[in-house]
């Protein structure tokens, strides 16, 4: 059995809660303390992870991803959590990778250690829905992190971009692949080859973001509201829905339709299918078993 990464769980010296709100924790997972992130559960069934490196504009580092992956895995296992919101603060979701960590890397070091592979390995494996609530800068690795989520909510003041070309490199955590699949080759080429950023309003217009809000507070509140709504549904059906939508990005239409139908048929073996349809016929609110 592979050794699990050791995580130093210590309170951060700089605690920034970007959006004032009264928080009542609904999950034991939120009791953990980290150095680079904050974790709590402000609504029933919702896990909230806040990137917490305010002095570095939430620059991404390997240490931050160790904590982020640890928190995500705990929320994935937590029976009280049905959906997850990932956010930063009003100035930055994540302004990019920590350049100090990588500027002196050689090719052999980056290649032999598979550098930043852990940055994009955990989020795609999480079966619970993840909403990225993006405010301020989401550049480079920050944009890629947002794109890994199942949906993006942003404010009009958000700034997205893949400016790696200006540093003599290219996106390395999925930006060239995920962004292109969303906005198309021509527009992705322009953004990635020039390093030009784009606004939250453009992100919504192009389909990068599901919704764009007027303010950071409305953005995070909107994400939490949607997460709470999702968490209140059958978690068996929610997992299945996420699975089939993601499959559409990996296979052709014919194979995707066949896969969807098989998962659809499989849900008739769940308790929640009987509960949901029975409640609909009786005009009652379903009480989900999540089985």
């Amino acid at each position: 059995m592979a050794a699990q990464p050791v995580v130093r769980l210590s309170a951060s010296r700089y605690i920034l809660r970007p959006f004032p709100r009264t928080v009542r924790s609904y999950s034991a997972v939120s009791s953990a303390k980290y150095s680079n992130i904050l974790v709590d559960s402000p609504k029933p069934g919702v896990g909230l992870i806040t990137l917490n490196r305010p002095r570095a504009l939430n620059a991404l580092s390997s240490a931050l991803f160790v904590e982020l992956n640890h928190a995500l895995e705990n929320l994935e296992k937590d029976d009280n959590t049905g959906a997850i919101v990932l956010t930063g603060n009003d100035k930055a979701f994540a302004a990019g990778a920590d350049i100090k960590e990588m500027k002196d890397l050689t090719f052999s070091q980056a290649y032999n250690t598979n550098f930043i592979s852990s940055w994009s390995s955990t989020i795609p494996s999480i079966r619970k829905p993840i909403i990225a609530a993006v405010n301020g800068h989401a550049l480079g690795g920050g944009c890629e992190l947002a794109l890994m989520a199942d949906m993006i909510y942003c404010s009009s003041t958000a700034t997205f971009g893949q400016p790696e070309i200006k540093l003599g490199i290219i996106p390395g955590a999925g930006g060239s692949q995920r962004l292109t699949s969303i906005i198309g080759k021509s527009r992705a080429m322009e953004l990635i080859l020039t390093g030009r950023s784009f606004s939250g309003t453009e992100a919504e217009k192009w389909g990068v973001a599901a919704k764009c809000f007027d303010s950071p507070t409305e953005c995070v509140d909107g994400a939490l509201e949607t997460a709470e709504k999702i968490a209140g549904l059958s978690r068996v059906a929610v997992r299945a829905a996420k699975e089939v939508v993601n499959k559409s990005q990996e296979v052709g239409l014919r194979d995707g339709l066949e896969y969807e139908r098989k998962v659809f048929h499989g849900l008739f073996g769940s308790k929640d299918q009987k509960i949901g349809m029975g409640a609909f016929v009786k005009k009652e609110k379903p009480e989900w078993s999540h089985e």
Side-chain angles (χ1 to χ4, degrees):
M1 181 177 179
Q4 297 298 311
V6 177
V7 182
R8 183 169 62 89
L9 305 179
S10 59
S12 173
R13 181 180 174 186
Y14 304 105
I15 302 297
L16 175 64
R17 291 192 179 275
F19 310 109
R21 56 181 173 268
T22 301
V23 175
R24 172 187 170 188
S25 181
Y26 290 89
S27 171
V29 174
S30 63
S31 63
K33 295 291 188 286
Y34 297 93
S35 297
N36 299 291
I37 63 173
L38 301 171
V39 183
D40 58 32
S41 181
K43 289 181 176 290
V46 178
L48 173 64
I49 301 177
T50 304
L51 305 183
N52 186 44
R53 297 188 69 200
R55 290 194 169 187
L57 293 177
N58 291 331
L60 304 174
S61 65
S62 294
L64 182 148
F65 270 99
V66 168
E67 294 185 359
L68 177 58
N69 292 343
H70 181 268
L72 286 168
E73 288 166 354
N74 280 348
L75 289 170
E76 174 75 357
K77 297 172 186 174
D78 181 37
D79 291 338
N80 294 318
T81 301
I84 301 166
V85 173
L86 176 63
T87 193
N89 57 57
D90 56 350
K91 291 184 178 180
F93 174 75
D98 192 335
I99 303 303
K100 294 178 182 178
E101 180 181 0
M102 62 176 69
K103 69 181 181 66
D104 295 324
L105 278 178
T106 64
F107 164 75
S108 61
Q109 288 173 326
Y111 186 72
N112 289 332
T113 61
N114 204 10
F115 180 59
I116 78 170
S117 63
S118 63
W119 295 24
S120 57
S121 60
T122 297
I123 291 180
S125 71
I126 300 299
R127 299 175 68 198
K128 295 175 181 178
I130 301 174
I131 303 174
V134 178
N135 298 293
H137 300 299
L139 303 174
C143 184
E144 291 173 305
L145 177 59
L147 291 171
M148 291 179 212
D150 297 302
M151 67 185 86
I152 297 174
Y153 280 8
C154 68
S155 62
S156 58
T157 58
T159 303
F160 297 85
Q162 300 291 165
E164 290 89 348
I165 199 77
K166 297 178 181 179
L167 300 176
I169 57 172
I170 64 170
S176 66
Q177 307 303 301
R178 293 188 175 94
L179 188 60
T180 302
S181 70
I182 297 170
I183 66 175
K185 177 185 174 183
S186 183
R187 184 169 279 152
M189 278 288 192
E190 182 210 4
L191 294 173
I192 292 172
L193 293 181
T194 65
R196 180 175 79 82
S197 60
F198 57 99
S199 69
T201 303
E202 288 175 308
E204 182 187 38
K205 179 181 177 181
W206 296 345
V208 175
K211 289 184 180 180
C212 181
F213 297 82
D214 291 333
S215 72
T217 300
E218 289 174 315
C219 171
V220 175
D221 287 346
L224 290 172
E225 181 180 343
T226 297
E228 183 180 21
K229 185 179 298 183
I230 293 170
L233 299 170
S234 164
R235 292 177 191 170
V236 175
V238 166
R239 283 192 177 97
K242 172 174 173 171
E243 185 177 324
V244 296
V245 173
N246 282 337
K247 183 64 70 174
S248 74
Q249 305 300 297
E250 301 168 1
V251 301
L253 179 60
R254 188 187 192 100
D255 290 338
L257 290 171
E258 183 177 348
Y259 186 84
E260 178 193 63
R261 192 172 301 112
K262 287 180 179 178
V263 175
F264 169 74
H265 290 162
L267 285 174
F268 283 86
S270 71
K271 290 182 180 179
D272 279 352
Q273 176 268 328
K274 301 296 184 290
I275 292 170
M277 291 190 174
F280 179 83
V281 170
K282 296 177 182 178
K283 296 182 169 37
E284 297 175 350
K285 182 179 179 180
E287 297 291 336
W288 303 114
S289 68
H290 305 304
E291 296 179 1

